[in-house]
Amino acid sequence: MPLSQQHTLLQELESIHQAMDAPLDPTTHDLLHQAAQLEKWPIAQLISIFERNNTESLIKRHAITRYMDTHPDLFGKQACIFGVTGTPGAGKSSLIGELCLSLLEQQPDISIAVLAIDPSSQSSGGALLGDRTRTQFPVNNKQVFFRSQASHLDLGGMGKATFHVMRLLRKFFDVVMIETVGIGQSEIEVQRLSDHTMLVMQPLAGDQVQFMKAGIMEVPDTFVINKCDEDALAKKSRHLLKASLKLAQIHLSGDEAEQAIFMTSATQRKGIREVAEYLLKVCSVDRPDNFDEQEVYFRNKWIREAYGEFGLGVFEHFKDKAELSRGTFEEKELAYKQLMANFLTKLK
Ligand SMILES: Nc1nc2c(ncn2[C@@H]2O[C@H](COP(=O)(O)OP(=O)(O)OP(=O)(O)O)[C@@H](O)[C@H]2O)c(=O)[nH]1
Ligand SMILES: [Mg+2]
């Protein structure tokens, strides 16, 4: 980039920096307060802001994050995040739907958001997914919120857009579930974003063993074998899974091993309550807040996408600069862009 353009870029970045000082605008302020009451439409509007990848949204995301951080009485939640991954058609959505009902039954005041990363969707995202879970919820139930996110928003299935939306949802709900098809990068990233991951499988066949052996999937916290409509099938599947794990030299030791494998049938509503109880137990235990690590992971991913390995090298070199680790994610992002532009100007 010619030097004059580099200077223009620096000026642009500086004006974004100044725009970030502005307080939250009244419309967004109202949206946030309605969203805190779990109103669906305001939550959907806010999600769209967090998904969009442009300057205006960056400024808004910053203002919203800062507002939420300074009003912990309203936005003090730290949702327990469950990643639900697995082969296409294994019954993830059906299972999530049934799990939501069971969670509500066991803990009537619980609030749950479901974010489904939809690889097939070519729309710009935003369709409510309630119908696709095939589970009937009482209309106007504010405690359960569904959202699908088109995976083309991010290369590789999930990433920045999902990360940003999670930043928001975790402040409103007790539980957030992310559904993603377990192919490639996305299941590793869902592990980054979650406190607990569940791998949903169909009753086992021989190829599953190969799948595990190949080590494609990092070891999830919980295995769910869905479509165990009959008890005999459930028994056999459990046995096969244990054998597969052994063969792949994945050791789940002691009591935990017993708890970490579930057999369910979403259509026959079998075994659902046990999984829901287990999830509530996971939520009730103190969880380490791994948000900082997530931030680092998605920041590095962003730098690599924007500037390649060279960008990461520059970051490593300047990482002790205070402005790179201060404030909201957006402030850090902008600080890095400014540093990079300055650096490139000086290189000339
Ligand atoms: N027999 C049986 N069928 C099931 C069960 N759970 C889900 N299904 C069926 O399996 C099909 C796929 O279910 P989904 O819940 O959409 O599966 P999914 O894993 O979310 O699918 P993708 O999101 O497309 O990867 C549907 O036709 C369901 O009705 C089950 O426990 N038993
Ligand atoms: Mg699904």
Side-chain angles (χ1 to χ4, degrees):
M1 193 185 280
L3 208 55
S4 59
Q5 277 185 29
Q6 209 60 258
H7 281 297
T8 317
L9 177 64
L10 271 168
Q11 278 166 2
E12 271 172 27
L13 292 171
E14 186 47 43
S15 64
I16 298 173
H17 202 103
Q18 281 167 12
M20 276 180 161
D21 288 337
L24 194 65
D25 64 276
T27 313
T28 315
H29 171 277
D30 291 351
L31 281 180
L32 265 175
H33 280 258
Q34 290 156 3
Q37 304 302 314
L38 301 184
E39 298 284 347
K40 288 188 194 312
W41 188 81
I43 295 175
Q45 295 295 106
L46 290 169
I47 288 179
S48 296
I49 295 173
F50 273 63
E51 278 178 345
R52 255 176 248 135
N53 189 18
N54 58 30
T55 303
E56 193 195 340
S57 293
L58 180 130
I59 295 168
K60 270 199 178 163
R61 277 202 313 266
H62 161 73
I64 291 169
T65 312
R66 198 174 50 179
Y67 188 85
M68 289 199 297
D69 286 348
T70 48
H71 294 80
D73 48 324
L74 272 175
F75 309 102
K77 285 204 168 153
Q78 188 202 328
C80 191
I81 300 173
F82 294 113
V84 181
T85 184
T87 42
K92 300 177 291 297
S93 301
S94 313
L95 189 67
I96 288 173
E98 291 302 322
L99 279 174
C100 287
L101 284 180
S102 189
L103 288 168
L104 279 171
E105 231 170 74
Q106 292 177 51
Q107 200 171 300
D109 61 346
I110 202 168
S111 56
I112 310 164
V114 179
L115 181 66
I117 312 298
D118 190 346
S120 57
S121 175
Q122 286 302 315
S123 70
S124 61
L128 291 178
L129 241 201
D131 53 329
R132 298 199 52 202
T133 67
R134 299 168 180 87
T135 306
Q136 294 296 315
F137 286 95
V139 195
N140 292 332
N141 184 338
K142 289 208 275 183
Q143 286 165 262
V144 187
F145 178 86
F146 288 97
R147 171 83 173 201
S148 65
Q149 186 176 73
S151 67
H152 70 92
L153 280 174
D154 277 302
L155 287 169
M158 74 166 48
K160 214 161 56 148
T162 314
F163 166 68
H164 287 314
V165 171
M166 293 307 288
R167 285 169 63 197
L168 186 73
L169 291 178
R170 69 209 288 275
K171 300 273 183 188
F172 296 142
F173 293 91
D174 297 312
V175 169
V176 179
M177 298 202 204
I178 320 175
E179 176 187 337
T180 161
V181 173
I183 303 171
Q185 229 5 52
S186 67
E187 91 234 357
I188 295 173
E189 279 176 351
V190 80
Q191 257 169 341
R192 294 268 172 193
L193 283 171
S194 312
D195 295 304
H196 194 93
T197 42
M198 275 194 317
L199 176 65
V200 182
M201 292 174 287
Q202 314 215 21
L204 294 186
D207 56 347
Q208 211 90 33
V209 181
Q210 293 304 325
F211 169 69
M212 297 226 180
K213 254 168 97 177
I216 297 167
M217 176 74 198
E218 286 189 30
V219 183
D221 299 296
T222 307
F223 294 90
V224 178
I225 309 172
N226 189 43
K227 302 199 183 177
C228 287
D229 301 347
E230 289 143 30
D231 292 342
L233 189 60
K235 238 181 180 166
K236 187 169 156 236
S237 293
R238 182 189 183 84
H239 179 74
L240 267 171
L241 174 61
K242 281 186 154 181
S244 307
L245 290 173
K246 202 168 160 198
L247 207 72
Q249 301 193 323
I250 295 170
H251 301 288
L252 304 167
S253 59
D255 287 350
E256 265 187 49
E258 290 304 311
Q259 288 174 4
I261 301 175
F262 292 93
M263 277 78 55
T264 59
S265 167
T267 46
Q268 313 256 328
R269 301 200 170 134
K270 283 185 184 172
I272 307 290
R273 188 171 48 84
E274 287 78 358
V275 183
E277 276 170 5
Y278 180 75
L279 295 187
L280 285 176
K281 212 163 88 186
V282 171
C283 288
S284 67
V285 177
D286 270 345
R287 308 176 293 284
D289 182 357
N290 60 356
F291 185 66
D292 288 347
E293 282 167 45
Q294 286 177 16
E295 216 187 67
V296 168
Y297 177 82
F298 286 99
R299 179 205 63 204
N300 286 358
K301 186 178 153 112
W302 164 71
I303 293 177
R304 196 179 277 119
E305 274 165 16
Y307 303 99
E309 290 300 319
F310 167 75
L312 273 182
V314 174
F315 180 79
E316 263 310 298
H317 189 73
F318 291 108
K319 67 170 188 279
D320 293 334
K321 278 191 167 283
E323 60 267 33
L324 293 180
S325 58
R326 200 173 41 209
T328 62
F329 190 88
E330 287 67 32
E331 282 176 302
K332 293 173 202 165
E333 183 175 328
L334 194 72
Y336 183 77
K337 281 183 182 161
Q338 286 181 316
L339 184 134
M340 195 71 179
N342 263 320
F343 178 76
L344 291 174
T345 311
K346 286 199 185 103
L347 267 190
K348 307 268 162 169

